[in-house]
Amino acid sequence: MQSRQGRQDREDFSPGVTGGPVAAAGLDEMTAAKLWGNPCWLTYRLNYLALRYNVPLYNWVERTYGLSRPEYVVIYSLGLKDGALARDIANSSGFPQNTLSRAIQKLVGLGLIERTADDADRRCNVLRLTKEGRALFEESLPRFVDFEHMMLEALDEDERKTLSALMAKLVLASTGWPGRIGREESSQEKANS
Amino acid sequence: MQSRQGRQDREDFSPGVTGGPVAAAGLDEMTAAKLWGNPCWLTYRLNYLALRYNVPLYNWVERTYGLSRPEYVVIYSLGLKDGALARDIANSSGFPQNTLSRAIQKLVGLGLIERTADDADRRCNVLRLTKEGRALFEESLPRFVDFEHMMLEALDEDERKTLSALMAKLVLASTGWPGRIGREESSQEKANS
DNA sequence: ATCATATATTTCCAAATGGAACTTGTTTAT
DNA sequence: ATAAACAAGTTCCATTTGGAAATATATGAT
């Protein structure tokens, strides 16, 4: 019973996934190839799932509050940990400092956060949500939580615990991963416009 | 034995993760808050892990080949599934069509891919790697695979299978998730520039 | 004390980005 | 058969982005 349905003559790189989903319902062939025929199955699925979350939610934030993704990330970050520095938000979010600097300026102007110089170290600006900023955080948070709960509906409670634990293991190991890869030149020409 | 170490008076949102990693070695307080004190534990960990992979690798691609992320994504996509359309790459990668259109033009100019009109449907341009393009793909792929393997070193073989299966479940369920969230206005003012 | 080094943040600016309009070609409805 | 609707891809252009330099402050070495 050979399927012709786009199945590749390629080893299956997905450990623990039986053949079933290859002829995936609702997924185009290239997405299927990236999901099931990709030696980097983990990182593609990470990016894919992150995207399926980020796009609708940050789009909703933009339409609802007129805030860009980095701007909302500042709000969310302070919602979880108030009184932090721009640097902390940069490190934990991956947005560059200058992008966050602009976001912070705009949020201060909107009265959603306040920025006070730290007297102990005058380079540092301590950031806090204002009452309005916290109201926005608390109003918007349920959308994010609900969407995540919807994503997790596919798993039962045990599976959620297992997934949480496995991802936590990866995150804890991540402090040992390089933030940059060695800089030697390749045999290919460097091809710039 | 109460720790003062930045632990919040906040419920622990991470199912299946014991208290240990809260005082996480090598993670700053805000990252720890986002990882262990975040109601959206899944999606933050997805984004966090994706970032720890994307940043060093696409940075390496840029330095080594002078290709931007969307440009390399085209190469990688065709490496996995040759003879696809720009649309397929857009759908499977999340990059907008126009960004990919420019990337494709540059890659054609560099001789790394070729673009031929489909006679059956003349709107469509079938994309294929050239010999040089495939060489670049095959030379660069091991970097990506090696990095992913390094990420997975934290897990044993059973755990990898479990993680793969759980993420596959989420991906298969994702066809039912909305790509956009309802557009009603909020009680907050719309705060633009 | 002084100077080099490191850090937090901001500013500058060339380049990338992406929404929207446009072009070309195909499908569907009447 | 014709027109509306749809789809792939490109172009336009105002905005965003992020690397690098600049600024201000702090730390460490001599």
Side-chain angles (χ1 to χ4, degrees), chain A residues 1 49 56 68 79 82 101-102 120 123 125 145 169 175 188:
Chain A
M1 193 181 271
L49 292 170
S68 69
D82 211 10
S101 176
R102 280 182 293 250
R123 291 171 302 184
N125 288 329
V145 173
K169 262 196 179 179
T175 55
Q188 300 283 123

Side-chain angles (χ1 to χ4, degrees), chain A residues 96 98-99 102 120-123:
Chain A
N98 54 4
T99 295
R102 280 182 293 250
D121 184 340
R122 302 269 305 279
R123 291 171 302 184

Side-chain angles (χ1 to χ4, degrees), chain A residues 175-188:
Chain A
T175 55
W177 304 343
R180 171 170 262 258
I181 291 176
R183 48 167 49 62
E184 73 293 326
E185 290 296 311
S186 104
S187 61
Q188 300 283 123

Side-chain angles (χ1 to χ4, degrees), chain A residues 41-111:
Chain A
W41 59 268
L42 171 64
T43 46
Y44 181 68
R45 290 175 207 181
L46 287 171
N47 275 301
Y48 181 85
L49 292 170
L51 203 69
R52 298 287 314 221
Y53 170 84
N54 295 333
V55 168
L57 282 163
Y58 288 109
N59 182 304
W60 173 80
V61 166
E62 161 63 33
R63 281 183 285 123
T64 305
Y65 302 110
L67 298 179
S68 69
R69 181 167 172 188
E71 284 152 9
Y72 186 78
V73 162
V74 171
I75 299 282
Y76 192 95
S77 300
L78 297 176
L80 291 185
K81 176 135 190 14
D82 211 10
L85 309 182
R87 173 205 46 159
D88 302 323
I89 302 176
N91 288 338
S92 60
S93 72
F95 283 98
Q97 282 259 15
N98 54 4
T99 295
L100 292 170
S101 176
R102 280 182 293 250
I104 288 162
Q105 284 172 321
K106 179 165 165 198
L107 293 171
V108 169
L110 291 169

Side-chain angles (χ1 to χ4, degrees), chain B residues 124-166:
Chain B
C124 300
N125 288 328
V126 177
L127 305 172
R128 297 192 181 281
L129 291 177
T130 60
K131 196 156 162 293
E132 293 76 21
R134 181 153 296 275
L136 193 155
F137 171 66
E138 283 172 1
E139 181 183 277
S140 57
L141 184 62
R143 292 291 180 143
F144 287 78
V145 174
D146 288 350
F147 201 99
E148 170 152 335
H149 282 167
M150 183 207 59
M151 291 170 73
L152 285 166
E153 272 169 19
L155 306 183
D156 66 34
E157 193 48 38
D158 273 358
E159 290 173 321
R160 289 176 205 177
K161 284 201 172 95
T162 304
L163 181 62
S164 172
L166 292 176

Side-chain angles (χ1 to χ4, degrees), chain B residues 70 95-96 98-99 102 120-123:
Chain B
F95 282 99
N98 54 5
T99 295
R102 281 183 291 251
D121 184 341
R122 301 269 307 275
R123 290 172 301 185

